[in-house]
Amino acid sequence: MTETTSLDRERTVLAGLTIAFAVIVPGVLKYLLTSVGFSFLGTLVWALGYGGFAIAFFYLFIRPIDLTGPE
């Protein structure tokens, strides 16, 4: 069994915080803007915020993974 290095643990924590931040911030901004009366702007902020974090998460955490099969 392999040992978990501190770098792996830090990247795991960073990935978890990124996901939490990606869900919480756009959702709260959408709620606040919609409750004030700017429903279209709230939806736009949510879509761009959530989509932006999804793209950032892909490039930071998913893309560097080596997914090659056996040779």
Side-chain angles (χ1 to χ4, degrees):
M1 201 145 101
T2 61
E3 292 183 26
T4 303
T5 63
S6 63
L7 181 62
D8 291 339
R9 187 170 294 126
E10 289 174 8
R11 286 193 55 88
T12 302
V13 170
L14 183 61
L17 289 174
T18 302
I19 291 172
F21 193 70
V23 172
I24 292 170
V25 171
V28 169
L29 286 175
K30 182 196 180 338
Y31 171 75
L32 292 173
L33 287 169
T34 302
S35 65
V36 173
F38 298 110
S39 61
F40 178 75
L41 184 60
T43 302
L44 185 67
V45 165
W46 180 83
L48 292 176
Y50 194 73
F53 277 113
I55 291 169
F57 187 81
F58 172 77
Y59 277 103
L60 290 174
F61 298 105
I62 306 292
R63 189 170 178 235
I65 297 174
D66 185 20
L67 298 175
T68 57
E71 294 182 20

Short mmCIF file of all heavy atoms in Angstrom, two decimals:
data_model
loop_
_atom_site.label_atom_id
_atom_site.label_comp_id
_atom_site.label_asym_id
_atom_site.label_seq_id
_atom_site.Cartn_x
_atom_site.Cartn_y
_atom_site.Cartn_z
N MET A 1 0.84 -1.17 0.00
CA MET A 1 0.00 0.00 0.00
C MET A 1 0.89 1.24 0.00
O MET A 1 1.90 1.29 0.68
CB MET A 1 -0.88 -0.01 1.24
CG MET A 1 -2.08 0.85 1.08
SD MET A 1 -3.50 0.18 1.90
CE MET A 1 -3.58 1.10 3.37
N THR A 2 0.51 2.26 -0.76
CA THR A 2 1.33 3.46 -0.85
C THR A 2 0.98 4.43 0.28
O THR A 2 -0.14 4.47 0.76
CB THR A 2 1.13 4.16 -2.20
OG1 THR A 2 -0.23 4.55 -2.30
CG2 THR A 2 1.50 3.25 -3.34
N GLU A 3 1.97 5.21 0.65
CA GLU A 3 1.75 6.21 1.68
C GLU A 3 1.23 7.49 1.05
O GLU A 3 1.57 7.83 -0.07
CB GLU A 3 3.06 6.50 2.40
CG GLU A 3 3.57 5.35 3.22
CD GLU A 3 4.83 5.74 3.97
OE1 GLU A 3 5.02 6.93 4.26
OE2 GLU A 3 5.61 4.83 4.26
N THR A 4 0.40 8.19 1.78
CA THR A 4 -0.10 9.48 1.32
C THR A 4 0.90 10.55 1.73
O THR A 4 1.22 10.70 2.89
CB THR A 4 -1.47 9.78 1.95
OG1 THR A 4 -2.37 8.73 1.64
CG2 THR A 4 -2.02 11.09 1.43
N THR A 5 1.39 11.27 0.74
CA THR A 5 2.34 12.33 1.04
C THR A 5 1.59 13.59 1.44
O THR A 5 0.38 13.71 1.22
CB THR A 5 3.24 12.63 -0.16
OG1 THR A 5 2.42 13.11 -1.23
CG2 THR A 5 3.99 11.38 -0.62
N SER A 6 2.31 14.53 1.99
CA SER A 6 1.67 15.78 2.39
C SER A 6 1.19 16.56 1.17
O SER A 6 0.19 17.26 1.23
CB SER A 6 2.62 16.63 3.22
OG SER A 6 3.73 17.01 2.46
N LEU A 7 1.89 16.40 0.03
CA LEU A 7 1.46 17.07 -1.19
C LEU A 7 0.12 16.51 -1.67
O LEU A 7 -0.76 17.27 -2.09
CB LEU A 7 2.51 16.92 -2.29
CG LEU A 7 2.20 17.60 -3.62
CD1 LEU A 7 2.06 19.11 -3.42
CD2 LEU A 7 3.26 17.31 -4.64
N ASP A 8 -0.06 15.19 -1.60
CA ASP A 8 -1.34 14.59 -1.98
C ASP A 8 -2.46 15.09 -1.07
O ASP A 8 -3.56 15.38 -1.52
CB ASP A 8 -1.26 13.07 -1.91
CG ASP A 8 -0.37 12.47 -2.98
OD1 ASP A 8 -0.13 13.15 -3.99
OD2 ASP A 8 0.08 11.33 -2.79
N ARG A 9 -2.18 15.16 0.21
CA ARG A 9 -3.18 15.62 1.17
C ARG A 9 -3.53 17.09 0.92
O ARG A 9 -4.70 17.47 0.97
CB ARG A 9 -2.67 15.43 2.60
CG ARG A 9 -3.71 15.72 3.65
CD ARG A 9 -3.27 15.30 5.03
NE ARG A 9 -3.15 13.85 5.08
CZ ARG A 9 -2.07 13.20 5.48
NH1 ARG A 9 -1.00 13.86 5.85
NH2 ARG A 9 -2.04 11.88 5.50
N GLU A 10 -2.53 17.91 0.63
CA GLU A 10 -2.78 19.33 0.35
C GLU A 10 -3.61 19.50 -0.91
O GLU A 10 -4.52 20.33 -0.96
CB GLU A 10 -1.47 20.08 0.22
CG GLU A 10 -0.72 20.26 1.51
CD GLU A 10 0.66 20.88 1.32
OE1 GLU A 10 0.97 21.31 0.19
OE2 GLU A 10 1.41 20.91 2.30
N ARG A 11 -3.31 18.72 -1.94
CA ARG A 11 -4.09 18.82 -3.19
C ARG A 11 -5.52 18.33 -2.98
O ARG A 11 -6.45 18.87 -3.57
CB ARG A 11 -3.42 18.06 -4.32
CG ARG A 11 -2.20 18.81 -4.81
CD ARG A 11 -1.65 18.32 -6.10
NE ARG A 11 -2.55 18.26 -7.22
CZ ARG A 11 -2.79 19.27 -8.07
NH1 ARG A 11 -2.22 20.43 -7.87
NH2 ARG A 11 -3.58 19.10 -9.09
N THR A 12 -5.71 17.33 -2.13
CA THR A 12 -7.04 16.84 -1.84
C THR A 12 -7.85 17.89 -1.10
O THR A 12 -9.02 18.13 -1.42
CB THR A 12 -6.97 15.54 -1.00
OG1 THR A 12 -6.22 14.58 -1.73
CG2 THR A 12 -8.35 14.99 -0.73
N VAL A 13 -7.25 18.53 -0.12
CA VAL A 13 -7.93 19.59 0.62
C VAL A 13 -8.23 20.76 -0.31
O VAL A 13 -9.32 21.34 -0.27
CB VAL A 13 -7.09 20.03 1.84
CG1 VAL A 13 -7.65 21.29 2.46
CG2 VAL A 13 -7.01 18.92 2.86
N LEU A 14 -7.28 21.11 -1.15
CA LEU A 14 -7.49 22.21 -2.10
C LEU A 14 -8.62 21.88 -3.07
O LEU A 14 -9.44 22.74 -3.38
CB LEU A 14 -6.20 22.50 -2.87
CG LEU A 14 -6.24 23.66 -3.85
CD1 LEU A 14 -6.55 24.96 -3.12
CD2 LEU A 14 -4.92 23.77 -4.58
N ALA A 15 -8.69 20.64 -3.53
CA ALA A 15 -9.78 20.24 -4.43
C ALA A 15 -11.13 20.34 -3.71
O ALA A 15 -12.11 20.82 -4.29
CB ALA A 15 -9.55 18.83 -4.93
N GLY A 16 -11.19 19.90 -2.47
CA GLY A 16 -12.43 19.99 -1.71
C GLY A 16 -12.87 21.43 -1.48
O GLY A 16 -14.05 21.77 -1.61
N LEU A 17 -11.92 22.28 -1.14
CA LEU A 17 -12.25 23.70 -0.95
C LEU A 17 -12.67 24.36 -2.25
O LEU A 17 -13.56 25.21 -2.26
CB LEU A 17 -11.05 24.43 -0.36
CG LEU A 17 -10.71 24.11 1.10
CD1 LEU A 17 -9.41 24.79 1.50
CD2 LEU A 17 -11.84 24.51 2.01
N THR A 18 -12.06 23.97 -3.35
CA THR A 18 -12.44 24.51 -4.66
C THR A 18 -13.88 24.13 -5.00
O THR A 18 -14.66 24.97 -5.46
CB THR A 18 -11.50 23.99 -5.76
OG1 THR A 18 -10.16 24.36 -5.42
CG2 THR A 18 -11.86 24.57 -7.10
N ILE A 19 -14.24 22.88 -4.75
CA ILE A 19 -15.61 22.44 -5.02
C ILE A 19 -16.60 23.18 -4.12
O ILE A 19 -17.65 23.64 -4.58
CB ILE A 19 -15.73 20.92 -4.86
CG1 ILE A 19 -14.96 20.23 -5.98
CG2 ILE A 19 -17.18 20.48 -4.88
CD1 ILE A 19 -14.84 18.74 -5.82
N ALA A 20 -16.28 23.28 -2.84
CA ALA A 20 -17.18 23.98 -1.91
C ALA A 20 -17.34 25.45 -2.33
O ALA A 20 -18.46 25.97 -2.34
CB ALA A 20 -16.63 23.89 -0.49
N PHE A 21 -16.23 26.09 -2.67
CA PHE A 21 -16.27 27.48 -3.10
C PHE A 21 -17.06 27.63 -4.40
O PHE A 21 -17.81 28.59 -4.57
CB PHE A 21 -14.84 27.99 -3.27
CG PHE A 21 -14.72 29.47 -3.42
CD1 PHE A 21 -14.96 30.31 -2.35
CD2 PHE A 21 -14.36 30.03 -4.63
CE1 PHE A 21 -14.83 31.69 -2.48
CE2 PHE A 21 -14.22 31.40 -4.77
CZ PHE A 21 -14.47 32.23 -3.69
N ALA A 22 -16.92 26.66 -5.29
CA ALA A 22 -17.61 26.72 -6.59
C ALA A 22 -19.11 26.57 -6.45
O ALA A 22 -19.86 27.08 -7.27
CB ALA A 22 -17.06 25.63 -7.51
N VAL A 23 -19.55 25.88 -5.44
CA VAL A 23 -20.99 25.68 -5.24
C VAL A 23 -21.58 26.81 -4.40
O VAL A 23 -22.66 27.34 -4.71
CB VAL A 23 -21.26 24.31 -4.58
CG1 VAL A 23 -22.71 24.17 -4.18
CG2 VAL A 23 -20.85 23.20 -5.53
N ILE A 24 -20.89 27.21 -3.35
CA ILE A 24 -21.44 28.17 -2.40
C ILE A 24 -21.50 29.59 -2.96
O ILE A 24 -22.55 30.24 -2.91
CB ILE A 24 -20.63 28.14 -1.09
CG1 ILE A 24 -20.84 26.80 -0.40
CG2 ILE A 24 -21.01 29.29 -0.18
CD1 ILE A 24 -19.91 26.55 0.76
N VAL A 25 -20.40 30.09 -3.50
CA VAL A 25 -20.35 31.49 -3.93
C VAL A 25 -21.34 31.81 -5.05
O VAL A 25 -22.13 32.74 -4.92
CB VAL A 25 -18.91 31.90 -4.30
CG1 VAL A 25 -18.87 33.27 -4.94
CG2 VAL A 25 -18.03 31.86 -3.07
N PRO A 26 -21.36 31.06 -6.16
CA PRO A 26 -22.36 31.39 -7.19
C PRO A 26 -23.80 31.21 -6.70
O PRO A 26 -24.68 31.99 -7.07
CB PRO A 26 -22.06 30.41 -8.33
CG PRO A 26 -20.65 30.02 -8.13
CD PRO A 26 -20.44 30.03 -6.65
N GLY A 27 -24.03 30.23 -5.85
CA GLY A 27 -25.39 30.02 -5.34
C GLY A 27 -25.85 31.16 -4.45
O GLY A 27 -27.00 31.62 -4.57
N VAL A 28 -24.99 31.64 -3.57
CA VAL A 28 -25.35 32.76 -2.69
C VAL A 28 -25.54 34.03 -3.50
O VAL A 28 -26.49 34.80 -3.26
CB VAL A 28 -24.28 32.94 -1.59
CG1 VAL A 28 -24.49 34.24 -0.84
CG2 VAL A 28 -24.30 31.77 -0.63
N LEU A 29 -24.65 34.28 -4.47
CA LEU A 29 -24.81 35.46 -5.31
C LEU A 29 -26.10 35.42 -6.11
O LEU A 29 -26.79 36.43 -6.25
CB LEU A 29 -23.61 35.62 -6.24
CG LEU A 29 -22.32 36.09 -5.59
CD1 LEU A 29 -21.18 36.08 -6.60
CD2 LEU A 29 -22.49 37.46 -4.99
N LYS A 30 -26.45 34.24 -6.63
CA LYS A 30 -27.72 34.11 -7.37
C LYS A 30 -28.90 34.39 -6.46
O LYS A 30 -29.83 35.10 -6.82
CB LYS A 30 -27.86 32.74 -8.00
CG LYS A 30 -29.15 32.64 -8.81
CD LYS A 30 -29.52 31.24 -9.13
CE LYS A 30 -30.77 31.08 -9.93
NZ LYS A 30 -31.75 32.11 -9.94
N TYR A 31 -28.86 33.84 -5.26
CA TYR A 31 -29.96 34.07 -4.31
C TYR A 31 -30.10 35.55 -3.98
O TYR A 31 -31.21 36.09 -3.99
CB TYR A 31 -29.71 33.27 -3.03
CG TYR A 31 -30.68 33.61 -1.93
CD1 TYR A 31 -31.99 33.15 -1.97
CD2 TYR A 31 -30.29 34.42 -0.87
CE1 TYR A 31 -32.89 33.48 -0.98
CE2 TYR A 31 -31.17 34.76 0.12
CZ TYR A 31 -32.48 34.29 0.07
OH TYR A 31 -33.36 34.63 1.05
N LEU A 32 -28.97 36.21 -3.69
CA LEU A 32 -29.03 37.63 -3.33
C LEU A 32 -29.53 38.49 -4.50
O LEU A 32 -30.37 39.37 -4.30
CB LEU A 32 -27.65 38.10 -2.88
CG LEU A 32 -27.16 37.52 -1.55
CD1 LEU A 32 -25.71 37.95 -1.30
CD2 LEU A 32 -28.05 37.95 -0.41
N LEU A 33 -29.03 38.24 -5.68
CA LEU A 33 -29.46 39.03 -6.84
C LEU A 33 -30.92 38.77 -7.18
O LEU A 33 -31.66 39.70 -7.54
CB LEU A 33 -28.56 38.75 -8.04
CG LEU A 33 -27.15 39.34 -7.95
CD1 LEU A 33 -26.28 38.79 -9.06
CD2 LEU A 33 -27.21 40.85 -8.01
N THR A 34 -31.36 37.53 -7.08
CA THR A 34 -32.75 37.20 -7.38
C THR A 34 -33.69 37.81 -6.35
O THR A 34 -34.77 38.31 -6.70
CB THR A 34 -32.94 35.67 -7.44
OG1 THR A 34 -32.06 35.15 -8.43
CG2 THR A 34 -34.36 35.30 -7.83
N SER A 35 -33.29 37.81 -5.10
CA SER A 35 -34.16 38.37 -4.06
C SER A 35 -34.28 39.88 -4.17
O SER A 35 -35.27 40.46 -3.72
CB SER A 35 -33.66 37.97 -2.67
OG SER A 35 -32.40 38.56 -2.42
N VAL A 36 -33.30 40.54 -4.76
CA VAL A 36 -33.35 41.99 -4.97
C VAL A 36 -34.17 42.33 -6.20
O VAL A 36 -34.66 43.44 -6.34
CB VAL A 36 -31.92 42.57 -5.07
CG1 VAL A 36 -31.92 44.03 -5.44
CG2 VAL A 36 -31.18 42.37 -3.77
N GLY A 37 -34.35 41.36 -7.10
CA GLY A 37 -35.16 41.60 -8.29
C GLY A 37 -34.41 41.46 -9.59
O GLY A 37 -34.96 41.71 -10.66
N PHE A 38 -33.15 41.08 -9.53
CA PHE A 38 -32.35 40.91 -10.73
C PHE A 38 -32.22 39.42 -11.05
O PHE A 38 -31.13 38.85 -10.97
CB PHE A 38 -30.96 41.53 -10.55
CG PHE A 38 -30.98 43.00 -10.31
CD1 PHE A 38 -30.65 43.52 -9.06
CD2 PHE A 38 -31.34 43.87 -11.32
CE1 PHE A 38 -30.67 44.87 -8.84
CE2 PHE A 38 -31.36 45.24 -11.10
CZ PHE A 38 -31.03 45.74 -9.85
N SER A 39 -33.32 38.80 -11.42
CA SER A 39 -33.30 37.34 -11.61
C SER A 39 -32.43 36.93 -12.81
O SER A 39 -31.71 35.92 -12.73
CB SER A 39 -34.71 36.80 -11.78
OG SER A 39 -35.32 37.36 -12.92
N PHE A 40 -32.48 37.68 -13.91
CA PHE A 40 -31.65 37.31 -15.06
C PHE A 40 -30.17 37.46 -14.73
O PHE A 40 -29.36 36.60 -15.06
CB PHE A 40 -32.00 38.17 -16.28
CG PHE A 40 -31.13 37.87 -17.47
CD1 PHE A 40 -31.32 36.71 -18.20
CD2 PHE A 40 -30.10 38.73 -17.83
CE1 PHE A 40 -30.51 36.41 -19.29
CE2 PHE A 40 -29.28 38.44 -18.91
CZ PHE A 40 -29.49 37.27 -19.64
N LEU A 41 -29.80 38.55 -14.07
CA LEU A 41 -28.41 38.76 -13.69
C LEU A 41 -27.96 37.69 -12.70
O LEU A 41 -26.84 37.19 -12.78
CB LEU A 41 -28.23 40.15 -13.08
CG LEU A 41 -26.81 40.55 -12.72
CD1 LEU A 41 -25.91 40.53 -13.95
CD2 LEU A 41 -26.80 41.91 -12.06
N GLY A 42 -28.84 37.30 -11.79
CA GLY A 42 -28.52 36.24 -10.84
C GLY A 42 -28.25 34.92 -11.55
O GLY A 42 -27.31 34.20 -11.22
N THR A 43 -29.07 34.60 -12.53
CA THR A 43 -28.88 33.37 -13.29
C THR A 43 -27.60 33.43 -14.11
O THR A 43 -26.86 32.44 -14.19
CB THR A 43 -30.08 33.13 -14.23
OG1 THR A 43 -31.26 33.06 -13.44
CG2 THR A 43 -29.93 31.84 -15.01
N LEU A 44 -27.30 34.57 -14.68
CA LEU A 44 -26.07 34.74 -15.45
C LEU A 44 -24.84 34.60 -14.55
O LEU A 44 -23.88 33.91 -14.91
CB LEU A 44 -26.08 36.11 -16.14
CG LEU A 44 -24.91 36.41 -17.06
CD1 LEU A 44 -24.97 35.50 -18.28
CD2 LEU A 44 -24.95 37.87 -17.48
N VAL A 45 -24.87 35.22 -13.39
CA VAL A 45 -23.75 35.11 -12.44
C VAL A 45 -23.57 33.67 -12.01
O VAL A 45 -22.45 33.16 -11.92
CB VAL A 45 -23.98 36.04 -11.22
CG1 VAL A 45 -23.04 35.70 -10.07
CG2 VAL A 45 -23.81 37.49 -11.63
N TRP A 46 -24.66 32.97 -11.74
CA TRP A 46 -24.57 31.58 -11.32
C TRP A 46 -23.98 30.71 -12.43
O TRP A 46 -23.08 29.90 -12.17
CB TRP A 46 -25.95 31.03 -10.93
CG TRP A 46 -25.88 29.61 -10.51
CD1 TRP A 46 -25.55 29.14 -9.29
CD2 TRP A 46 -26.11 28.47 -11.34
NE1 TRP A 46 -25.56 27.77 -9.29
CE2 TRP A 46 -25.91 27.33 -10.53
CE3 TRP A 46 -26.48 28.30 -12.67
CZ2 TRP A 46 -26.05 26.04 -11.02
CZ3 TRP A 46 -26.62 27.02 -13.15
CH2 TRP A 46 -26.41 25.91 -12.33
N ALA A 47 -24.45 30.88 -13.64
CA ALA A 47 -23.98 30.05 -14.75
C ALA A 47 -22.50 30.31 -15.04
O ALA A 47 -21.72 29.36 -15.22
CB ALA A 47 -24.81 30.31 -16.00
N LEU A 48 -22.10 31.57 -15.09
CA LEU A 48 -20.70 31.89 -15.36
C LEU A 48 -19.78 31.48 -14.20
O LEU A 48 -18.68 30.98 -14.42
CB LEU A 48 -20.54 33.38 -15.67
CG LEU A 48 -21.18 33.85 -16.97
CD1 LEU A 48 -21.04 35.37 -17.10
CD2 LEU A 48 -20.58 33.15 -18.16
N GLY A 49 -20.24 31.69 -12.99
CA GLY A 49 -19.44 31.31 -11.83
C GLY A 49 -19.27 29.81 -11.71
O GLY A 49 -18.16 29.29 -11.54
N TYR A 50 -20.37 29.08 -11.82
CA TYR A 50 -20.32 27.63 -11.72
C TYR A 50 -19.54 27.02 -12.88
O TYR A 50 -18.71 26.14 -12.70
CB TYR A 50 -21.75 27.08 -11.69
CG TYR A 50 -21.87 25.66 -11.24
CD1 TYR A 50 -21.69 25.31 -9.92
CD2 TYR A 50 -22.15 24.64 -12.16
CE1 TYR A 50 -21.80 24.00 -9.50
CE2 TYR A 50 -22.27 23.33 -11.75
CZ TYR A 50 -22.09 23.02 -10.42
OH TYR A 50 -22.19 21.72 -10.03
N GLY A 51 -19.78 27.53 -14.09
CA GLY A 51 -19.07 27.03 -15.27
C GLY A 51 -17.59 27.36 -15.22
O GLY A 51 -16.75 26.54 -15.59
N GLY A 52 -17.26 28.55 -14.75
CA GLY A 52 -15.86 28.94 -14.62
C GLY A 52 -15.11 28.06 -13.64
O GLY A 52 -13.97 27.64 -13.89
N PHE A 53 -15.75 27.74 -12.52
CA PHE A 53 -15.10 26.86 -11.56
C PHE A 53 -14.99 25.44 -12.09
O PHE A 53 -14.02 24.75 -11.81
CB PHE A 53 -15.85 26.87 -10.23
CG PHE A 53 -15.47 28.01 -9.35
CD1 PHE A 53 -16.38 29.00 -9.05
CD2 PHE A 53 -14.19 28.10 -8.82
CE1 PHE A 53 -16.04 30.06 -8.24
CE2 PHE A 53 -13.83 29.16 -8.00
CZ PHE A 53 -14.75 30.14 -7.71
N ALA A 54 -15.96 25.00 -12.87
CA ALA A 54 -15.88 23.66 -13.45
C ALA A 54 -14.70 23.56 -14.42
O ALA A 54 -13.95 22.57 -14.40
CB ALA A 54 -17.18 23.32 -14.18
N ILE A 55 -14.50 24.59 -15.22
CA ILE A 55 -13.37 24.59 -16.15
C ILE A 55 -12.05 24.68 -15.39
O ILE A 55 -11.09 23.96 -15.70
CB ILE A 55 -13.51 25.75 -17.16
CG1 ILE A 55 -14.68 25.46 -18.10
CG2 ILE A 55 -12.23 25.98 -17.94
CD1 ILE A 55 -15.10 26.64 -18.96
N ALA A 56 -11.99 25.54 -14.38
CA ALA A 56 -10.77 25.66 -13.57
C ALA A 56 -10.44 24.35 -12.86
O ALA A 56 -9.29 23.93 -12.82
CB ALA A 56 -10.92 26.80 -12.56
N PHE A 57 -11.46 23.68 -12.33
CA PHE A 57 -11.25 22.41 -11.63
C PHE A 57 -10.71 21.36 -12.60
O PHE A 57 -9.82 20.59 -12.26
CB PHE A 57 -12.56 21.92 -11.00
CG PHE A 57 -12.38 20.72 -10.14
CD1 PHE A 57 -11.93 20.85 -8.84
CD2 PHE A 57 -12.66 19.45 -10.62
CE1 PHE A 57 -11.75 19.73 -8.04
CE2 PHE A 57 -12.49 18.34 -9.83
CZ PHE A 57 -12.03 18.48 -8.53
N PHE A 58 -11.25 21.35 -13.81
CA PHE A 58 -10.77 20.40 -14.81
C PHE A 58 -9.29 20.62 -15.10
O PHE A 58 -8.50 19.68 -15.10
CB PHE A 58 -11.59 20.51 -16.10
CG PHE A 58 -11.02 19.70 -17.22
CD1 PHE A 58 -11.19 18.33 -17.26
CD2 PHE A 58 -10.29 20.31 -18.23
CE1 PHE A 58 -10.65 17.58 -18.30
CE2 PHE A 58 -9.75 19.56 -19.27
CZ PHE A 58 -9.93 18.19 -19.30
N TYR A 59 -8.92 21.87 -15.38
CA TYR A 59 -7.53 22.15 -15.74
C TYR A 59 -6.55 21.98 -14.58
O TYR A 59 -5.40 21.64 -14.78
CB TYR A 59 -7.40 23.55 -16.35
CG TYR A 59 -7.74 23.56 -17.81
CD1 TYR A 59 -8.96 24.05 -18.25
CD2 TYR A 59 -6.87 23.03 -18.74
CE1 TYR A 59 -9.29 24.03 -19.59
CE2 TYR A 59 -7.19 23.01 -20.09
CZ TYR A 59 -8.40 23.51 -20.50
OH TYR A 59 -8.72 23.49 -21.83
N LEU A 60 -7.00 22.22 -13.36
CA LEU A 60 -6.10 22.11 -12.21
C LEU A 60 -5.98 20.70 -11.66
O LEU A 60 -4.92 20.30 -11.19
CB LEU A 60 -6.56 23.04 -11.09
CG LEU A 60 -6.39 24.53 -11.35
CD1 LEU A 60 -7.02 25.34 -10.23
CD2 LEU A 60 -4.92 24.87 -11.49
N PHE A 61 -7.07 19.91 -11.69
CA PHE A 61 -7.06 18.64 -10.99
C PHE A 61 -7.29 17.41 -11.89
O PHE A 61 -6.75 16.35 -11.62
CB PHE A 61 -8.12 18.65 -9.88
CG PHE A 61 -7.86 19.69 -8.84
CD1 PHE A 61 -8.61 20.84 -8.80
CD2 PHE A 61 -6.83 19.53 -7.94
CE1 PHE A 61 -8.36 21.81 -7.85
CE2 PHE A 61 -6.58 20.49 -6.98
CZ PHE A 61 -7.35 21.64 -6.94
N ILE A 62 -8.09 17.52 -12.92
CA ILE A 62 -8.42 16.36 -13.75
C ILE A 62 -7.41 16.19 -14.89
O ILE A 62 -6.94 15.09 -15.15
CB ILE A 62 -9.85 16.49 -14.34
CG1 ILE A 62 -10.87 16.73 -13.24
CG2 ILE A 62 -10.19 15.27 -15.18
CD1 ILE A 62 -11.08 15.57 -12.31
N ARG A 63 -7.09 17.26 -15.56
CA ARG A 63 -6.22 17.20 -16.74
C ARG A 63 -4.83 16.63 -16.46
O ARG A 63 -4.29 15.87 -17.26
CB ARG A 63 -6.11 18.60 -17.36
CG ARG A 63 -5.42 18.59 -18.69
CD ARG A 63 -5.59 19.96 -19.35
NE ARG A 63 -4.89 19.97 -20.61
CZ ARG A 63 -3.97 20.85 -20.93
NH1 ARG A 63 -3.66 21.81 -20.08
NH2 ARG A 63 -3.38 20.80 -22.08
N PRO A 64 -4.20 16.96 -15.31
CA PRO A 64 -2.86 16.42 -15.07
C PRO A 64 -2.80 14.92 -14.78
O PRO A 64 -1.72 14.34 -14.76
CB PRO A 64 -2.37 17.20 -13.84
CG PRO A 64 -3.22 18.38 -13.75
CD PRO A 64 -4.53 18.01 -14.36
N ILE A 65 -3.93 14.28 -14.58
CA ILE A 65 -3.93 12.85 -14.27
C ILE A 65 -3.53 12.05 -15.50
O ILE A 65 -4.06 12.26 -16.59
CB ILE A 65 -5.31 12.39 -13.77
CG1 ILE A 65 -5.66 13.11 -12.47
CG2 ILE A 65 -5.35 10.88 -13.56
CD1 ILE A 65 -7.06 12.82 -11.98
N ASP A 66 -2.61 11.13 -15.34
CA ASP A 66 -2.16 10.29 -16.44
C ASP A 66 -3.11 9.10 -16.57
O ASP A 66 -3.14 8.23 -15.69
CB ASP A 66 -0.73 9.80 -16.18
CG ASP A 66 -0.16 9.03 -17.34
OD1 ASP A 66 -0.68 9.18 -18.47
OD2 ASP A 66 0.80 8.28 -17.11
N LEU A 67 -3.88 9.04 -17.62
CA LEU A 67 -4.89 8.00 -17.80
C LEU A 67 -4.52 7.01 -18.89
O LEU A 67 -5.38 6.52 -19.61
CB LEU A 67 -6.25 8.64 -18.12
CG LEU A 67 -6.83 9.55 -17.04
CD1 LEU A 67 -8.09 10.20 -17.53
CD2 LEU A 67 -7.08 8.77 -15.77
N THR A 68 -3.26 6.69 -19.01
CA THR A 68 -2.86 5.73 -20.03
C THR A 68 -3.04 4.30 -19.50
O THR A 68 -2.91 4.03 -18.33
CB THR A 68 -1.38 5.93 -20.41
OG1 THR A 68 -0.57 5.81 -19.25
CG2 THR A 68 -1.17 7.30 -21.03
N GLY A 69 -3.36 3.43 -20.40
CA GLY A 69 -3.56 2.02 -20.05
C GLY A 69 -2.28 1.24 -20.13
O GLY A 69 -1.21 1.79 -20.41
N PRO A 70 -2.37 -0.06 -19.90
CA PRO A 70 -1.16 -0.88 -19.97
C PRO A 70 -0.65 -0.98 -21.40
O PRO A 70 -1.40 -0.92 -22.37
CB PRO A 70 -1.64 -2.25 -19.47
CG PRO A 70 -3.10 -2.25 -19.70
CD PRO A 70 -3.56 -0.84 -19.59
N GLU A 71 0.65 -1.14 -21.54
CA GLU A 71 1.25 -1.21 -22.87
C GLU A 71 1.58 -2.62 -23.25
O GLU A 71 1.79 -3.49 -22.53
CB GLU A 71 2.50 -0.35 -22.91
CG GLU A 71 2.14 1.10 -22.74
CD GLU A 71 3.39 1.97 -22.82
OE1 GLU A 71 4.42 1.55 -23.34
OE2 GLU A 71 3.29 3.10 -22.34
#
